[in-house]
Amino acid sequence: MGVTRTDIYSEKENRIAAFAKVIGHPARVAILQHLFKINTCICGDLVDEIGLAQPTISQHLKELKNMRLIKGTIEGTRVCYCIDKENWNSMSRLMQDFLGQGLQDGEECC
Amino acid sequence: MGVTRTDIYSEKENRIAAFAKVIGHPARVAILQHLFKINTCICGDLVDEIGLAQPTISQHLKELKNMRLIKGTIEGTRVCYCIDKENWNSMSRLMQDFLGQGLQDGEECC
DNA sequence: AAAATTAATCGTAATATTGCAATATAATTA
DNA sequence: TAATTATATTGCAATATTACGATTAATTTT
């Protein structure tokens, strides 16, 4: 209990859920938003931009990195993060397919 | 701590995150998948379809209902669930806008 | 080399989530 | 009305997540 049973779902279902789970926190949405906006790299202004402590931001960045939605390169004493567009687009497509299923607004059933 | 600070994010960021969070569990993805597939209503076969206990399914359905992604109507002793297409599409659009930001595959920065 | 800067990691407290057994509720059928 | 059927709710145990202070690690500047 407390642990999600991934074994009983399809690969695809697990992937969609895993992607969504990472997006499922406003801090991570805000980080991604910010990285999209200032198309060029940013480093540690995220701590100022968003109002969370540095270790908390670092933790969120780690999760985004684990899901390969962002990548970071060391630049002196700073780290420069940006969207991993290739992977983002791939995950994005997966999600869009899932979301798009609702579009045919046929007969509501109940 | 342990509590997500919604106050420091924009309305939109919170809405995107909240939607994603609900999608962020494979059981709920599987439930939605199933509801999309059998376009017509379904009732309690979800317990058989997915391999979780009845109370667990019921709990996931509740969360989907809270987010207004599905709606259920009582039919005798059963409850008939289906996608709330209007709301689904509205949330879906919100998410698609967010996801779409990555599409312009411009210069990777780092 | 010492001090400063920046980000990651560790440890921990508070809270949330997941899953299920047991039970309750509500409608139907016998 | 009693038994049955289907779903919801309650209570709880296990685990996960979120947030932050303290510390560490790595680089740069003085």
Side-chain angles (χ1 to χ4, degrees), chain A residues 3-21:
Chain A
V3 63
T4 296
R5 301 185 46 187
T6 55
D7 55 304
I8 59 176
Y9 311 103
S10 76
E11 184 71 33
K12 201 173 180 181
E13 283 161 349
N14 280 318
R15 290 222 306 149
I16 291 169
F19 177 54
K21 192 173 183 178

Side-chain angles (χ1 to χ4, degrees), chain A:
Chain A
M1 304 86 201
V3 63
T4 296
R5 301 185 46 187
T6 55
D7 55 304
I8 59 176
Y9 311 103
S10 76
E11 184 71 33
K12 201 173 180 181
E13 283 161 349
N14 280 318
R15 290 222 306 149
I16 291 169
F19 177 54
K21 192 173 183 178
V22 175
I23 312 290
H25 192 290
R28 293 191 288 267
V29 172
I31 289 172
L32 291 166
Q33 245 1 330
H34 194 70
L35 287 177
F36 276 127
K37 199 171 68 182
I38 57 167
N39 187 29
T40 164
C41 285
I42 72 113
C43 308
D45 352 86
L46 284 165
V47 176
D48 306 315
E49 189 66 29
I50 303 167
L52 292 172
Q54 179 267 320
T56 309
I57 295 290
S58 195
Q59 202 173 308
H60 285 303
L61 287 169
K62 193 179 181 180
E63 284 177 69
L64 290 167
K65 234 184 321 182
N66 287 344
M67 191 52 68
R68 294 180 45 210
L69 300 183
I70 65 174
K71 47 188 175 181
T73 46
I74 297 167
E75 240 165 57
T77 142
R78 334 188 138 206
V79 177
C80 172
Y81 283 106
C82 63
I83 306 285
D84 184 333
K85 286 196 178 175
E86 190 171 320
N87 225 260
W88 174 268
N89 285 339
S90 142
M91 293 303 254
S92 186
R93 257 191 302 280
L94 189 74
M95 180 61 80
Q96 308 237 20
D97 285 352
F98 178 66
L99 296 173
Q101 295 177 97
L103 284 177
Q104 331 82 332
D105 44 13
E107 57 307 317
E108 296 282 320
C109 39
C110 42

Side-chain angles (χ1 to χ4, degrees), chain B residues 7 9 18 24 26-27 31 33-35 37 42-45 50 52 54 56-57 61 75 77-78 80 84 97 103 107:
Chain B
D7 54 306
Y9 310 103
I31 289 172
Q33 253 343 343
H34 194 69
L35 288 177
K37 198 170 67 183
I42 72 111
C43 307
D45 355 82
I50 303 166
L52 292 173
Q54 181 266 322
T56 309
I57 295 289
L61 287 169
E75 241 164 57
T77 141
R78 332 190 139 205
C80 173
D84 183 334
D97 285 353
L103 283 177
E107 57 308 317

